Amino acid sequence: KLNSAHAGLLSALGIIKVPVFESIHIGILSTGQELVEIDQPTNPSQVRNSNAVMLKSCVLELNCKVTDYGIVPDNPITLEERLHHALEENDVVLITGGASKGKFDYVKPVCKRIGVEFVFEGVKMRPGKPVSYGSFGTRGVFVLPGSPVAALTCFLVLVKPFLQIRDKAKTIQLILADKLKPQKRNFTSFVPGRLNDNGQVVPVKFHGSGHIYALADAELLIKIEEDSEPKYKGDSVDCILLALST
């Protein structure tokens, strides 16, 4: 993350453009016949949709982009249409409500019908036991309980770490300072590396997956795609930063 000190240093060096990676896009869907928007009056059987506001605030704190798709009634056809739309536009979709197995809990059956493959359905934790996560291609779907405390707990315990790891796993392109040969052509390889004084990537000594000392010298991982040709000095390579700070 660039802060004010970084901006000042870049300006002093005459650097006006720097490579960055795009923020993760998060979509939020709220389900339940009992929900109304926060600016609407309620009757005894209704509650305001506080979850959407709460989750949106959580997402923005992580510097992600967020779109609120509003309240979806307990109707599987409407839910399917809205979910398709959200999946087309976002990297991760958060759905609140419908996480259990009640008569009107259509969320997971609809997700499965459109092709979401669930990694887990339910976690041994309270609050938040019904929380589920599935994948839709490269996109992720979290089904969170409708209870506000459970929804927030699941976000902090599961969703937030997932988004932080996903964000740091995005690659940036840097220039290679020395030749790099793939260790095994039939695998995608990751080689520890660091930056030299010129801002170019230098592979560090690396003797395989058990060589933990290599990580002590590394600032990043150089990604080498399966069946790719050797990389030479001056070539552009994909890198994943190893910085663990939030």
Side-chain angles (χ1 to χ4, degrees):
K1 298 176 183 178
L2 289 176
N3 59 31
S4 55
H6 298 143
L9 177 60
L10 290 168
S11 300
L13 295 173
I15 299 173
I16 59 174
K17 291 184 179 181
V18 293
V20 298
F21 35 95
E22 187 179 2
S23 299
I24 297 175
H25 290 249
I26 310 296
I28 298 175
L29 279 75
S30 307
T31 68
Q33 291 292 132
E34 74 281 6
L35 296 179
V36 297
E37 298 295 351
I38 61 171
D39 59 350
Q40 298 298 312
T42 61
N43 62 40
S45 64
Q46 294 176 320
V47 294
R48 293 186 177 91
N49 186 19
S50 59
N51 278 343
V53 177
M54 176 178 65
L55 292 174
K56 183 177 180 180
S57 178
C58 289
V59 169
L60 290 174
E61 288 176 0
L62 298 177
N63 295 313
C64 298
K65 296 181 179 179
V66 61
T67 301
D68 183 0
Y69 291 85
I71 298 170
V72 184
D74 291 328
N75 181 302
I77 297 176
T78 304
L79 175 60
E80 183 172 335
E81 292 174 351
R82 200 82 61 90
L83 180 56
H84 260 303
H85 188 196
L87 286 169
E88 288 175 355
E89 297 183 339
N90 297 277
D91 301 301
V92 179
V93 175
L94 309 180
I95 308 173
T96 63
S100 300
K101 297 181 180 179
K103 182 178 179 180
F104 297 105
D105 291 333
Y106 299 116
V107 174
K108 284 190 283 188
V110 168
C111 286
K112 292 176 181 178
R113 187 164 65 241
I114 68 172
V116 174
E117 297 181 357
F118 279 96
V119 178
F120 62 82
E121 297 184 57
V123 175
K124 198 172 183 180
M125 61 178 279
R126 288 187 177 180
K129 182 180 177 181
V131 62
S132 301
Y133 169 76
S135 62
F136 183 78
T138 60
R139 295 164 172 80
V141 179
F142 280 93
V143 182
L144 308 178
S147 166
V149 176
L152 180 59
T153 301
C154 290
F155 184 91
L156 295 176
V157 174
L158 298 172
V159 181
K160 181 178 179 180
F162 173 86
L163 295 178
Q164 290 173 323
I165 293 172
R166 185 185 177 99
D167 190 36
K168 287 180 171 56
K170 289 188 175 182
T171 59
I172 60 173
Q173 288 198 327
L174 297 170
I175 302 301
L176 195 61
D178 200 358
K179 180 180 178 179
L180 181 60
K181 183 179 180 180
Q183 292 182 324
K184 291 185 178 181
R185 295 287 298 276
N186 58 336
F187 286 90
T188 297
S189 301
F190 295 89
V191 178
R194 61 182 300 106
L195 297 176
N196 64 15
D197 292 339
N198 296 321
Q200 296 178 326
V201 180
V202 180
V204 302
K205 289 184 179 180
F206 180 53
H207 304 299
S209 60
H211 190 194
I212 192 169
Y213 291 104
L215 294 180
D217 293 327
E219 297 173 312
L220 49 85
L221 295 176
I222 307 166
K223 183 179 180 181
I224 308 174
E225 297 287 354
E226 179 181 355
D227 294 327
S228 64
E229 297 298 323
K231 300 291 185 180
Y232 296 92
K233 180 178 180 180
D235 286 347
S236 177
V237 289
D238 288 333
C239 299
I240 299 174
L241 300 180
L242 291 180
L244 297 178
S245 63
T246 56

